[in-house]
Amino acid sequence: MKNNRYLLLVLLMAVIFFSGCERILDTEGISRITSFPTFQMQGEEIVTVVKGGTFTDPGVTTVEGYPVTSSITGSAYIVPGKTQPTDVVYTSGAVDTNVPGIYIITYSSTNPDGFSGTTTRTVFVLDQQPDPAVDLSGSYASGTSPGATITKVADGVFYSSNAWGGGSTVVIPAYLICTDGVNVNVPQQESTVRIFGHGTVAANGTLNLLMSRPTFGPPPLIDLVKDWVKAN
């Protein structure tokens, strides 16, 4: 009987030992630590260049020293009368300072474990030297649409929390370019959905825009009137 007790004790200890080893194997690798790319941008996130000027990318590095690659997409000013989706396309490859528009530089990095990250810089090539006195900032309304808040981000460049309007409940933010206080251009942008347009600023501050949302349809909606009335 005593020998049986010893045998049972030995078997129980063996079960505990091997069970413990198996748990260690099951958790092997779960507690590994990996560092995602942490970007350090040289220069500003938003840059403006006047047509014909020069742009040199200040670059981006990572804290961890991971290599960084970059790619560029761009969209030129909208030309009145040429706003079919086929006429408004993204270009890629470089910031062309001879073509006014919006250029997005996307910086990417991947760590040795395969985890990647990105950050972006936006370059605006303006049609002319902007008038620093021009300021579209304020609160706007467009029919029954959710209101918009427009903020100045640089001379000649503004960000609208909603550029669609016209009674639609859809909210689509976008950058607006206005260098002279009269003409407004909205190069094609990827925000919630693609959007682009152009228009003018009325004497009372109302934005009279012809906006297009090519992803809405079919058929795509072209040059829809969107009047944004500035609050007094």
Side-chain angles (χ1 to χ4, degrees), residues 122-156:
T122 305
V123 180
F124 295 89
V125 177
L126 307 179
D127 58 328
Q128 62 183 12
Q129 189 68 39
D131 181 351
V134 173
D135 193 355
L136 306 182
S137 299
S139 299
Y140 291 76
S142 181
T144 57
S145 295
T149 299
I150 296 181
T151 306
K152 185 174 184 177
V153 296
D155 287 345

Side-chain angles (χ1 to χ4, degrees), residues 19-199:
S19 295
C21 290
E22 187 172 342
R23 282 198 294 271
I24 293 172
L25 291 174
D26 285 344
T27 59
E28 183 180 356
I30 291 180
S31 60
R32 273 187 61 197
I33 296 175
T34 188
S35 297
F36 287 83
T38 305
F39 294 96
Q40 290 183 315
M41 180 175 291
Q42 283 71 56
E44 301 297 326
E45 292 185 18
I46 293 180
V47 178
T48 60
V49 182
V50 177
K51 179 182 177 181
T54 59
F55 169 74
T56 301
D57 189 350
V60 167
T61 59
T62 63
V63 173
E64 301 81 6
Y66 304 144
V68 178
T69 59
S70 64
S71 60
I72 301 173
T73 59
S75 184
Y77 271 35
I78 302 303
V79 178
K82 295 190 66 177
T83 55
Q84 294 292 329
T86 52
D87 296 325
V88 186
V89 296
Y90 271 95
T91 59
S92 62
V95 173
D96 190 343
T97 59
N98 291 312
V99 179
I102 297 176
Y103 297 84
I104 308 297
I105 307 176
T106 301
Y107 305 93
S108 305
S109 184
T110 303
N111 73 5
D113 294 318
F115 293 96
S116 60
T118 62
T119 191
T120 61
R121 187 194 316 271
T122 305
V123 180
F124 295 89
V125 177
L126 307 179
D127 58 328
Q128 62 183 12
Q129 189 68 39
D131 181 351
V134 173
D135 193 355
L136 306 182
S137 299
S139 299
Y140 291 76
S142 181
T144 57
S145 295
T149 299
I150 296 181
T151 306
K152 185 174 184 177
V153 296
D155 287 345
V157 180
F158 306 86
Y159 181 80
S160 176
S161 62
N162 185 14
W164 187 232
S168 172
T169 59
V170 178
V171 175
I172 307 177
Y175 284 106
L176 315 178
I177 300 175
C178 182
T179 55
D180 59 5
V182 177
N183 297 289
V184 180
N185 212 287
V186 189
Q188 181 175 237
Q189 297 165 56
E190 295 284 354
S191 50
T192 309
V193 296
R194 282 191 298 154
I195 189 173
F196 57 85
H198 62 91

